[in-house]
Amino acid sequence: MTSLRQFDHDRRRQIYEYIERNGAVRPETVRQNVLVRPETSSKPARSGSDLEPSVMMSSEEFNHHVSILKRDGYLKERDGKLRVAFPMDTGEKTVKLDDLEAIIRPARQEDITGIVGVIKAIATGDTHIVAARLADEISRDEVLLRHNESEDRVFFVATVDDDTVGWLHVGGVQFPNMSHTAELTVGVLERYRGNGLGSTLMESGLDWARNRGYRKIHQNLPKTNERAVSFLKDNGWSIESNRDGHYLIDDELVDEVQLAIWLDE
């Protein structure tokens, strides 16, 4: 994913960073919390004690900056809240599950509780350690999606009757030598497996990653999670290496399997 462009105004950067840290925020809440130094034409004071106190932007100035951030593709507004505008080329997909239908779509901040719940349900028993760590990170930050100068993180969610039943996450780092790679995790609740839901989530995530310029996607799993390893291999992934005794599970050393898929092959 391409890195953030340079902001041409410090106050726009402050607005963007506050929203990115908080996920989805009502405009007036942003204005009240993004405090700025009053602009002045006089020379800055030599002593910090003489600086003017920080103040809220006027509604007119704040709305002006938000309008430009929306125009330039940094922010969008949905359900009365400002949020980071992720380039999402994939729309909704429908998967038939016997007598039910599952919807797969790009996730938004409001999906955080359902996604964390599904990850924790699937990751019990130390079968999906990377995903469990991801769920803890999301819960701690209270932010689902990230797009800043150091990392990108997007999710797709699978729902049945508006209940979350599966997820897919793609996360990359904004570092030149690693900007072509990203980590992926995916999972579906047991009762909804076997109908192509996991493969469709995978397809959505890989299509998004390919369109954003990623070339290699990777995932690490305990070797004991044979079902997940087989699922990835069935979807075109290859085992790159094993790390001996990388996990300690139930007082037993368990190897880690490192898998990857190249998107330009």
Side-chain angles (χ1 to χ4, degrees):
M1 188 172 185
T2 56
S3 60
L4 290 169
R5 300 187 298 274
Q6 187 71 33
F7 287 98
D8 57 5
H9 199 292
D10 189 58
R11 295 187 178 182
R12 290 172 203 151
R13 177 187 58 78
Q14 289 177 267
I15 291 170
Y16 178 90
E17 290 178 348
Y18 181 85
I19 295 167
E20 197 273 341
R21 287 194 305 271
N22 290 276
V25 196
R26 296 196 179 280
E28 184 59 18
T29 302
V30 181
R31 189 178 77 87
Q32 292 175 1
N33 284 277
V34 177
L35 303 181
V36 298
R37 297 285 186 186
E39 294 181 345
T40 175
S41 58
S42 61
K43 293 182 179 180
R46 292 179 179 272
S47 171
S49 62
D50 295 328
L51 291 173
E52 292 287 338
S54 297
V55 298
M56 288 188 293
M57 281 178 270
S58 68
S59 296
E60 292 77 12
E61 181 187 5
F62 176 77
N63 291 336
H64 169 72
H65 290 313
V66 169
S67 294
I68 292 175
L69 288 167
K70 289 179 179 179
R71 181 200 68 188
D72 292 346
Y74 286 103
L75 299 179
K76 64 180 180 181
E77 189 166 352
R78 180 189 175 98
D79 299 330
K81 293 182 179 181
L82 293 169
R83 56 195 75 211
V84 172
F86 286 88
M88 302 300 285
D89 306 308
T90 304
E92 290 187 355
K93 296 180 181 178
T94 301
V95 178
K96 293 287 187 180
L97 306 175
D98 298 326
D99 58 341
L100 299 172
E101 281 189 349
I103 302 297
I104 294 174
R105 59 170 173 78
R108 45 187 179 266
Q109 175 65 19
E110 288 79 1
D111 295 309
I112 186 169
T113 301
I115 287 176
V116 168
V118 170
I119 293 176
K120 289 186 174 181
I122 293 173
T124 56
D126 299 314
T127 58
H128 211 323
I129 294 171
V130 172
R133 188 174 68 236
L134 174 66
D136 288 343
E137 180 182 340
I138 295 167
S139 297
R140 182 181 64 250
D141 295 346
E142 298 182 337
V143 176
L144 186 65
L145 311 174
R146 304 308 305 259
H147 181 35
N148 55 49
E149 293 180 350
S150 62
E151 71 171 315
D152 292 307
R153 185 172 71 208
V154 298
F155 277 82
F156 288 82
V157 61
T159 64
V160 174
D161 295 330
D162 294 327
D163 291 331
T164 302
V165 301
W167 91 93
L168 179 136
H169 131 269
V170 181
V173 295
Q174 296 283 16
F175 187 74
N177 302 107
M178 297 178 64
S179 61
H180 68 293
T181 69
E183 183 178 59
L184 180 149
T185 67
V186 59
V188 174
L189 292 176
E190 180 76 34
R191 63 171 293 194
Y192 299 102
R193 296 174 185 171
N195 293 278
L197 187 53
S199 296
T200 306
L201 275 165
M202 178 77 71
E203 179 183 281
S204 296
L206 294 182
D207 283 348
W208 179 85
R210 186 180 293 105
N211 290 337
R212 300 312 304 159
Y214 288 111
R215 297 176 57 197
K216 180 183 179 183
I217 308 299
H218 62 89
Q219 183 174 169
N220 299 344
L221 292 163
K223 190 174 183 178
T224 49
N225 192 349
E226 297 177 357
R227 184 170 185 172
V229 172
S230 295
F231 169 77
L232 292 174
K233 291 172 69 176
D234 289 345
N235 280 273
W237 293 58
S238 300
I239 294 177
E240 289 192 320
S241 63
N242 290 271
R243 292 203 283 187
D244 295 341
H246 192 67
Y247 299 116
L248 183 63
I249 300 175
D250 295 331
D251 294 326
E252 297 286 339
L253 292 175
V254 175
D255 296 350
E256 180 183 68
V257 181
Q258 300 176 309
L259 301 101
I261 186 170
W262 288 87
L263 302 183
D264 54 355
E265 292 182 350

